[in-house]
Amino acid sequence: MNAPTTQLATGLALYDRTAMDAAAAVIARYSTSFGLACRLLGPRPRPHVRNIYALARVADEVVDGPAVEAGLTAAEAMALLDRLEEECLSAVAQGFSGNLVLHAFARTARECGIGAPLIQPFFASMRADLQVSRHDAASHDAYVYGSAEVIGLMCLHVFVNAGARHPSSPDPDLAEGARRLGAAFQDVNFLRDLHDDRARLGRDYLDLVSPADRAAVLDRIDLDLAAAARVIPLLPADCRRAVTAAHDLFAELASRLRTSSADDGRVRVPDAVKARLAARAMLGFAPRGARA
């Protein structure tokens, strides 16, 4: 009797798998904290969330340094970003791209109902990084929507629709929570990277003039985190633990930012505390502030 043979993926199935592996490799290289949270996702949403963040990471690198190091001017980086957006929208429409990261994202977008209304604001915010050096309140809000809130909405589409026969629109309360969680994440990172953004990138996202301005941003972060915490328990079970862990990590960062000064350097959470927060989420505890 012949030994059983393992059937290998070929054609489009092999290309799909290779594209998703490429997206996972991008995430593994760039973000240990995100990688930890992603591992807490169930197998249904996990690869799709990686695909979303891989695209975001590639676009971010066009505007945040590597393109300049490669010798591109700001105009050339803008043109590259424009082409990336065009290729992304085309890949979502056609279901294929010669760019592995775009192909992986398109596969997720088509399955989970992510279209141009979420994709275009993201690229608009990436373009703003090449055009705007100092943000006021209005441009900050527009930038945060495109760079972070729509990413939260994309992930929510995954949480609701991955594996479904036909994608549907997420519940409005969950959508509001996803937006506010994304906004909180972004503002925390703005505060953590304040000096680097100004010195290395020449950007000021928050326009902080006084300690009171910094305190106001932290107040806004706390309100956004609390609003998100109230709806996280409504997420599908295979997503809830990962989102709780990410929420609580940024709540911890916000707390540490409260007790630090703007001159203390980049605030971090020790690995032991990260592990404790992840374990707490794994055990099914509600996110911090969920009962507020």
Side-chain angles (χ1 to χ4, degrees):
M1 183 176 180
N2 293 331
T5 58
T6 301
Q7 186 174 3
L8 298 176
T10 59
L12 183 59
L14 176 60
Y15 193 77
D16 286 344
R17 184 177 299 176
T18 304
M20 295 175 74
D21 288 346
V26 170
I27 292 307
R29 288 284 186 178
Y30 275 96
S31 178
T32 55
S33 295
F34 175 78
L36 172 64
C38 209
R39 286 194 293 275
L40 297 180
L41 288 168
R44 178 186 66 91
R46 186 186 304 130
H48 294 294
V49 171
R50 285 174 175 159
N51 294 345
I52 290 169
Y53 275 85
L55 171 64
R57 185 73 261 173
V58 169
D60 206 42
E61 291 304 282
V62 173
V63 300
D64 271 359
V68 173
E69 290 179 29
L72 273 68
T73 65
E76 289 168 336
M78 181 73 80
L80 179 60
L81 197 60
D82 289 344
R83 290 197 300 273
L84 189 65
E85 180 180 9
E86 292 171 8
E87 291 170 15
C88 180
L89 293 170
S90 176
V92 172
Q94 298 175 352
F96 187 86
S97 174
N99 178 316
L100 286 172
V101 170
L102 287 181
H103 182 82
F105 175 81
R107 183 178 183 276
T108 289
R110 288 166 67 89
E111 180 174 332
C112 299
I114 298 168
L118 294 181
I119 295 169
Q120 289 172 328
F122 168 72
F123 280 99
S125 285
M126 294 300 97
R127 274 191 288 274
D129 275 335
L130 296 171
Q131 298 169 313
V132 181
S133 59
R134 189 181 186 91
H135 287 268
D136 58 20
S139 66
H140 163 274
D141 291 350
Y143 181 87
V144 169
Y145 176 74
S147 65
E149 293 180 33
V150 298
I151 300 298
L153 291 171
M154 289 180 189
C155 290
L156 180 60
H157 274 72
V158 166
F159 298 159
V160 172
N161 292 317
R165 187 180 296 273
H166 300 291
S168 60
S169 297
D171 177 88
D173 288 340
L174 287 176
E176 176 69 11
R179 287 186 60 178
R180 295 189 72 171
L181 188 60
F185 287 179
Q186 188 68 290
D187 276 337
V188 166
N189 282 330
F190 287 158
L191 286 175
R192 295 175 75 204
D193 297 332
L194 192 67
H195 294 298
D196 184 63
D197 286 340
R198 288 173 175 172
R200 184 174 64 86
L201 300 175
R203 299 180 199 145
D204 187 341
Y205 293 101
L206 294 174
D207 192 24
L208 302 182
V209 177
S210 69
D213 293 334
R214 186 173 185 270
V217 173
L218 286 164
D219 289 343
R220 182 173 70 227
I221 290 168
D222 287 347
L223 289 172
D224 285 339
L225 288 170
R230 287 192 286 271
V231 298
I232 288 172
L234 305 179
L235 290 172
D238 59 353
C239 310
R240 209 176 298 142
R241 289 176 174 83
V243 181
T244 295
H247 171 281
D248 288 0
L249 172 63
F250 276 81
E252 180 68 22
L253 284 166
S255 177
R256 289 169 182 262
L257 284 163
R258 283 272 186 197
T259 58
S260 68
S261 75
D263 298 320
D264 285 345
R266 197 170 198 263
V267 172
R268 299 181 182 275
V269 175
D271 289 343
V273 178
K274 288 182 184 178
R276 176 174 58 79
L277 295 174
R280 184 179 180 278
M282 277 296 295
L283 291 172
F285 285 90
R288 287 165 55 170
R291 294 185 179 88

